[in-house]
Structure formats: structure tokens, C-alpha cells
Amino acid sequence: MRLDKFLKVSRLIKRRTLAKEVSDQGRITINGQQAKASSTVKVGDELQVRFGQKLVTVKVERLQETTRKEEAAGMYSIVREEKVESEA
């Protein structure tokens, strides 16, 4: 599954266009490798997403084409969340 689609369906990022922008800015890695919106996500992959001052690492648990809001959180598990110091 494409990275931008996974981020949208799992509701880590609300809109697919926003998911594409974030990945094109280089704020997402898959298993330590820089990721593009078209990168393929597989079960077991670790994604690191930078949201402003927060770095969130999640593990992909399930891939689904569509999902309901209640089930979306089951598509990934949070490994860790870290605060990132701003670069002055």
C-alpha cells in the first residue's frame, strides 16, 4: 500500500494531500530510510513521522483499503513519542 494512502486510512494524517506534502518534505522515514508518498508500506514496517515538535514512531500492524474510524487505530501501534528540540 502507498505511504500516503496508509497515513490517510489509518488516520495518522487527516487528508491524503497533506500526507503527500509531509512525505515530500522528508518528514517521514520507513525503517530508517527516507520515504516518498509513493513508497510501499508493508506489515511490520516502522514509520517515523515528524509532527512539528514531536517525533512519532509507529509499527504497521494491518493494511486495509478502507476502515471505519473506530478500527483505524488498530492499523498501527505507537512504539514511542519523543519531543524534538527546535533547530535555532
Side-chain angles (χ1 to χ4, degrees):
M1 175 182 280
R2 284 176 55 107
L3 174 62
D4 56 350
K5 183 165 185 179
F6 175 79
L7 292 170
K8 184 215 177 273
V9 173
S10 66
R11 291 175 170 77
L12 275 166
I13 296 180
K14 289 195 188 296
R15 292 184 317 276
R16 192 164 174 180
T17 52
L18 186 60
K20 183 182 182 321
E21 287 172 21
V22 169
S23 48
D24 289 346
Q25 289 169 1
R27 291 169 34 193
I28 301 178
T29 61
I30 300 176
N31 299 324
Q33 301 292 314
Q34 196 72 43
K36 291 191 193 122
S38 60
S39 300
T40 304
V41 176
K42 299 181 292 302
V43 173
D45 283 351
E46 255 192 28
L47 307 179
Q48 250 191 352
V49 186
R50 202 167 127 215
F51 297 103
Q53 301 300 310
K54 197 162 68 169
L55 188 64
V56 179
T57 306
V58 298
K59 184 175 182 200
V60 179
E61 300 291 344
R62 231 175 38 224
L63 295 177
Q64 291 177 264
E65 290 299 312
T66 59
T67 186
R68 293 203 318 271
K69 189 176 183 181
E70 306 82 51
E71 300 167 346
M75 291 181 67
Y76 63 89
S77 58
I78 295 178
V79 176
R80 68 180 166 272
E81 288 186 43
E82 312 166 52
K83 244 182 123 48
V84 178
E85 295 300 319
S86 61
E87 299 155 15

